[in-house]
Amino acid sequence: MQSALFDGAVAGLVATVPMTGAMKMMQHLPSLQTQALPPEKVARGVAQKLEVYQDMNPTEKAAFTWLSHFGFGAGAGTLYPFVVPSPQQHGILKGMLFGLAVWTVSYSGWIPAAGILRFPTRESKPYVGLEIASHLVWGAVLGAMAARMRRGTLKS
């Protein structure tokens, strides 16, 4: 079980890299250029809820944003081996479905419920598309890595 937790965390952490790259590329689309990326909005909302945002300098805000983003990716990845049956079969598809589930539970669930961000139906369609697409990228990489780790073709 400890190995599955570690493998999931590593896969989730690594998958956050291409996810972030996809978000940064999509941010250059004309309809998204003026908006902060989702990790920045979520981190700002969390820091404001904790009443520490106003005390942070720009470097601390950036560090908090990216540490929480990559930490959440690793944390969500730890759940993958326990939620997804036979992760070594159809890894990319299962990972993408898991990524979509993580987006749904987060952006349509606990994030608006906690008052951190608005419900997705109150955001622009291109912005929600960026959120969903980046979670599909994350899930695909997570699923591919988890499948290879489970088969033993990628050592953790």
Side-chain angles (χ1 to χ4, degrees):
M1 172 152 60
Q2 188 175 12
S3 175
L5 285 171
F6 181 76
D7 288 352
V10 168
L13 179 68
V14 170
T16 307
V17 174
M19 172 196 208
T20 305
M23 278 191 268
K24 287 192 172 280
M25 286 190 323
M26 287 183 276
Q27 188 181 33
H28 293 292
L29 296 171
S31 59
L32 297 169
Q33 288 177 349
T34 60
Q35 295 201 41
L37 290 173
E40 296 167 298
K41 286 184 172 185
V42 172
R44 180 176 50 239
V46 168
Q48 288 171 336
K49 285 285 180 188
L50 296 172
E51 299 180 0
V52 296
Y53 185 78
Q54 66 280 0
D55 299 326
M56 298 167 99
N57 66 41
T59 302
E60 292 167 332
K61 289 174 183 174
F64 181 72
T65 294
W66 299 112
L67 287 172
S68 61
H69 175 58
F70 280 86
F72 188 82
T78 63
L79 299 175
Y80 184 75
F82 301 102
V83 173
V84 176
S86 303
Q88 69 274 21
Q89 298 173 345
H90 309 291
I92 292 173
L93 176 61
K94 287 179 179 180
M96 291 173 78
L97 292 171
F98 184 75
L100 189 57
V102 169
W103 176 83
T104 302
V105 168
S106 299
Y107 287 88
S108 296
W110 71 268
I111 292 174
I116 295 169
L117 293 179
R118 301 182 307 180
F119 200 73
T121 56
R122 304 195 74 200
E123 296 290 347
S124 72
K125 288 180 184 176
Y127 193 79
V128 173
L130 175 147
E131 292 175 343
I132 293 171
S134 61
H135 280 80
L136 290 171
V137 169
W138 177 82
V141 175
L142 171 76
M145 282 192 66
R148 292 195 65 197
M149 292 169 114
R150 184 67 157 213
R151 288 192 301 262
T153 57
L154 181 66
K155 300 292 181 199
S156 55

